Amino acid sequence: MSKTALIIGATGSFGLHAAEALIKHGWTVRALARDPAAAAARVGDRSPIAWVKGDAMDRASVVAAAEGVQLIVHAANPPGYRNWKGTVLPMSDNAIAAAKASGARLVIPGNVYNYAPDSGPAIGEAAPQVPATRKGAIRVEMERRLRAASEDGVKVLILRAGDFFGPAAPNSALAWLAQKSRGRLSGVYSPGPAAHAFAYMPDLGETLALLADAEHRLGAFEVFHFRGQWMADGRAFGEAMRRAAGDPKLPINSFPWIVVRAAAPFNETFRELLEMRYLWEKPIGLDNAKLVRFLGEEPHTPIETALRVTLTDMGLIEESASSASQDRQIRSSSAMAPAM
């Protein structure tokens, strides 16, 4: 049976990896773009995507693009945290309208903004959502609307994960945690003392594809938590970066929050980043027990391999043929991520 998915935000960090995983699983992928030719050129030939003209903020074009699809992945987000208030809810409402019109399952990548700073390192799907920030409140409202839509016939899947990183993810946390000099990796920032959850995009995309393939087992409203890469603290992250780069003396420096604070009144991205500082000061992680029960395992790439692939894609390190071969072997035999 033919399976077609629409990706909204396919040039973004999660959208592209979702598209690639779905294609690997036999899906035909359609993607929305304001400029289809530019989007196709940006992604290149590695992903056979059918680009259609439209805008996530324009309901009519989203609904039209979703005609005949069985899955809609809404992966569009304002870059650099800019204008969340004016875009996040309208875009998700348009995706809901498209899912209702087409009968498709709507997938939303969730995050941990919904939870209070003291929620702990193993948050379950039923945990109370008590956001501490404006962006968190917007995400809680979005999920409230998704649940209401599910009661009105829309099939919903929320796949929640920590901080995104991976190849072809230019806006990830790694972009500002990796220090650069003359285009090469020169150091790494330790952003805070707390344990932190990261999500490697190829693993998260594969998880989405596996869940999409199990549509017959999904309920009308499903939430799964993806544990991903759990780092014990900022120092542990720095040590993992050293191993990934093959440089045991790579400098590990404290993140310059004082600079971000000073620039925040004049820079919206810095202002929004500062609001999310608590995520690096408190251990906020996700319990993946439900996901592991459902799939049997959580796709999981060892952290050093994931970081090495990402840093190589960013052009910050060079990967030798031997390490590339080793990474392929590790990826092919990646262990199941344990449930918390």
Side-chain angles (χ1 to χ4, degrees), residues 191-210:
H196 193 80
F198 290 90
Y200 184 51
M201 289 295 92
D203 290 342
L204 191 63
E206 176 66 12
T207 301
L208 166 61
L210 290 169

Side-chain angles (χ1 to χ4, degrees), residues 46 66 134 161 171 186 194 219 231 234-235 258 260 297 304-305 317:
R46 67 180 183 177
R134 293 170 291 113
N171 297 317
S186 61
M231 303 305 301
R235 183 74 188 185
I258 189 170
V260 173
E297 65 178 19
E304 291 85 0
T305 302
I317 64 172

Side-chain angles (χ1 to χ4, degrees), residues 3 9 13 16 38 53 61 82 106 111 119 148 151 156 184 195 234 247 283 291 321 330:
K3 304 180 297 182
S13 298
L16 179 57
K53 188 174 178 61
S61 66
R82 292 188 292 274
L106 175 59
N111 58 36
S119 295
E151 295 169 357
V156 173
R184 308 302 286 178
D247 182 358
L291 179 66
I330 292 172

Side-chain angles (χ1 to χ4, degrees), residues 32-51:
L32 192 73
R34 287 189 292 271
D35 184 340
R42 179 177 173 183
V43 171
D45 297 332
R46 67 180 183 177
S47 298
I49 295 172
W51 296 93

